[in-house]
Amino acid sequence: MFEGIISDPIKIWNDVWRNFSEFLHVQENARSHSTPQTLASSWNPPPHGFIKINVDVSFDQRSKTASLAAIARGSDGSFITGANALNFAGSPLVAEALAVRLGSMLANTQQWRNTILESDNQTMIKCLKGYCKPLWEYVVVHDDISLLIT
């Protein structure tokens, strides 16, 4: 649920995949042209030598189902790998925390050390940086993430 709108997690994931496939197609076409093209994007690449993992979630309040996604890209914007999952979650906050954990698990599994994890769940990110205590709803997930990133 986002801004009072209930969304179908599978539809969201399919939309994300379609948009990502379109992005790859545009990127490939841009490489094949002799004149450089500028693609409008709000995504900022990580510094050289780092990998950025972007995470996001779609949450269905009715079924308490969350579609999680994590996409890893290099400093040149190239796709490295990704992960997705379908989980039950008690709330959108828990779902967002699970997406951050998915991204953390991806970095941990790949044994990446120079990683930037990006999420729109600023509360979770601030708590992971030690600026606040996690909400009781997702304290267990927060603790899992803390173990994964240390």
Side-chain angles (χ1 to χ4, degrees), residues 25-39:
H25 179 73
V26 169
Q27 197 175 39
E28 190 62 37
N29 284 342
R31 284 189 200 127
S32 66
H33 289 84
S34 59
T35 56
Q37 296 178 354
T38 304
L39 301 175

Side-chain angles (χ1 to χ4, degrees), residues 2-56:
F2 179 71
E3 295 182 354
I5 299 170
I6 298 174
S7 301
D8 176 14
I10 302 302
K11 181 185 178 309
I12 299 277
W13 176 250
N14 288 336
D15 289 345
V16 168
W17 184 252
R18 187 184 70 250
N19 289 334
F20 179 69
S21 296
E22 181 181 336
F23 167 76
L24 289 178
H25 179 73
V26 169
Q27 197 175 39
E28 190 62 37
N29 284 342
R31 284 189 200 127
S32 66
H33 289 84
S34 59
T35 56
Q37 296 178 354
T38 304
L39 301 175
S41 175
S42 61
W43 183 81
N44 294 316
H48 181 73
F50 279 75
I51 294 170
K52 183 183 275 189
I53 301 174
N54 293 86
V55 300
D56 207 354

